[in-house]
Amino acid sequence: MRVEVTATRRLTFDDGSPVRAASAIVSYGDGWLITQDDSTLGAHWRPGSVLPLRLLDPVEGLDTFASADGSKHLKPDLEAACVLPDGTVLLLGSGSTPARRRGVRLSGQEAVVEDLTALLGRVAVALGVPHDVLNLEGACLVGDRLRWFHRGLPAAGWPSASVDLPLDVPLHEASPDGVLRYDLGTVAGVGLAVTDAVALGDGLVLVSAAAEDSPNTYDDGPVVACALVLLDGDRVLDRAQVPLVDDRIAKIEGLAVVDETGSGARLVATIDADDHTSPSPVLELSVGW
């Protein structure tokens, strides 16, 4: 597999403020919706414009959250996004803290929030991990089911994994099954772990994976590499490292397919630079296999 970065840009809102901590990207209207994992607002990126879009109500009067002011524990951490068969956009929290156990269904401009605490408890049991270890960062449709990816922490013995959820029942009532676990390999002794996923034809899934030397699933750590990995079920078909961007490792946290051929795809990817003062980079990628 080969990966080429064909274009880059840094996203700012129309008022000049940065799109921060971009963590998921999904097709939305005539553009893209990008979640900011440390904000209750998304970014609606359209040709010639980037506007804020409210996804959640403020939390304790705040719309943005950071370690520096002691509010990181309140951030919603919407890390996964996909478009459902009915055209609704589904956004999902990562699950490791109470603030991160919500989902958002977006239909047009209307956002409906769901409490996913009970579902995430069942997901933790299915994966065999403590609830506070959950770090669900990607989701895509595989057939008639939603596949939800747990990043895990390979260094601590928690491999990346996924569960499947039915779409014919309300999400908060769903029973997870179809558990898959992934050995994505290591780079410089640090395990690669899933940061997002997109479905391709023939049942294949392409995931982004970061080798991040984190002490736990809550705190950030140094990223030594980022890769794209092609999966067939839990089997790794191929893997390629993502090229450096501006001489830095591009920590991809959001992936979306622009178009696909039988031997490759064009994608758009968002990067979370773990710096809320810096506009999030967006990459256009050409992937072939």
Side-chain angles (χ1 to χ4, degrees):
M1 190 165 70
R2 60 193 181 278
V3 179
E4 179 185 0
V5 178
T6 58
T8 65
R9 65 171 289 170
R10 292 184 178 272
L11 280 187
T12 58
F13 289 105
D14 289 358
D15 66 1
S17 60
V19 175
R20 44 192 283 162
S23 57
I25 181 168
V26 65
S27 176
Y28 178 68
D30 61 348
W32 304 95
L33 173 64
I34 297 167
T35 65
Q36 305 176 102
D37 72 15
D38 62 357
S39 175
T40 56
L41 303 171
H44 186 195
W45 175 27
R46 302 171 59 244
S49 178
V50 183
L51 294 173
L53 179 65
R54 179 159 296 284
L55 303 174
L56 295 160
D57 290 335
V59 181
E60 297 186 8
L62 300 174
D63 277 321
T64 57
F65 312 92
S67 297
D69 61 13
S71 63
K72 180 177 178 177
H73 66 289
L74 299 175
K75 79 174 189 175
D77 210 34
L78 296 174
E79 290 278 0
C82 67
V83 180
L84 298 177
D86 64 0
T88 301
V89 173
L90 178 65
L91 310 171
L92 297 164
S94 62
S96 59
T97 70
R100 304 177 184 192
R101 294 170 189 161
R102 290 180 291 174
V104 179
R105 289 180 183 265
L106 188 62
S107 180
Q109 297 288 313
E110 182 184 5
V112 178
V113 180
E114 294 185 74
D115 182 354
L116 301 181
T117 302
L119 170 61
L120 284 160
R122 296 191 292 273
V123 170
V125 170
L127 293 173
V129 302
H131 205 149
D132 61 358
V133 171
L134 283 178
N135 193 12
L136 293 141
E137 293 212 1
C140 62
L141 299 185
V142 179
D144 61 353
R145 300 174 73 77
L146 177 73
R147 184 159 296 170
W148 202 3
F149 286 80
H150 169 55
R151 182 169 174 177
L153 188 64
W158 309 111
S160 287
S162 65
V163 296
D164 286 353
L165 298 171
L167 295 174
D168 58 352
V169 298
L171 195 59
H172 65 275
E173 297 178 5
S175 296
D177 59 15
V179 176
L180 297 173
R181 292 182 172 82
Y182 308 96
D183 181 357
L184 305 180
T186 62
V187 179
V190 180
L192 285 164
V194 172
T195 58
D196 205 5
V198 290
L200 302 174
D202 299 323
L204 302 180
V205 172
L206 186 70
V207 301
S208 55
E212 183 172 3
D213 196 8
S214 303
N216 52 54
T217 59
Y218 184 82
D219 296 306
D220 298 320
V223 179
V224 302
C226 181
L228 297 184
V229 185
L230 187 63
L231 301 173
D232 183 1
D234 61 355
R235 187 163 62 99
V236 173
L237 298 183
D238 210 344
R239 185 184 82 177
Q241 245 175 270
V242 176
L244 298 179
V245 176
D246 298 331
D247 296 321
R248 299 184 64 181
I249 294 166
K251 181 189 175 187
I252 293 175
E253 294 218 353
L255 275 181
V257 175
V258 177
D259 56 41
E260 183 183 353
T261 68
S263 59
R266 289 193 306 130
L267 303 115
V268 61
T270 54
I271 296 174
D272 181 359
D274 293 327
D275 177 3
H276 70 269
T277 65
S278 177
S280 294
V282 176
L283 311 180
E284 293 179 18
L285 303 175
S286 175
V287 182
W289 50 78

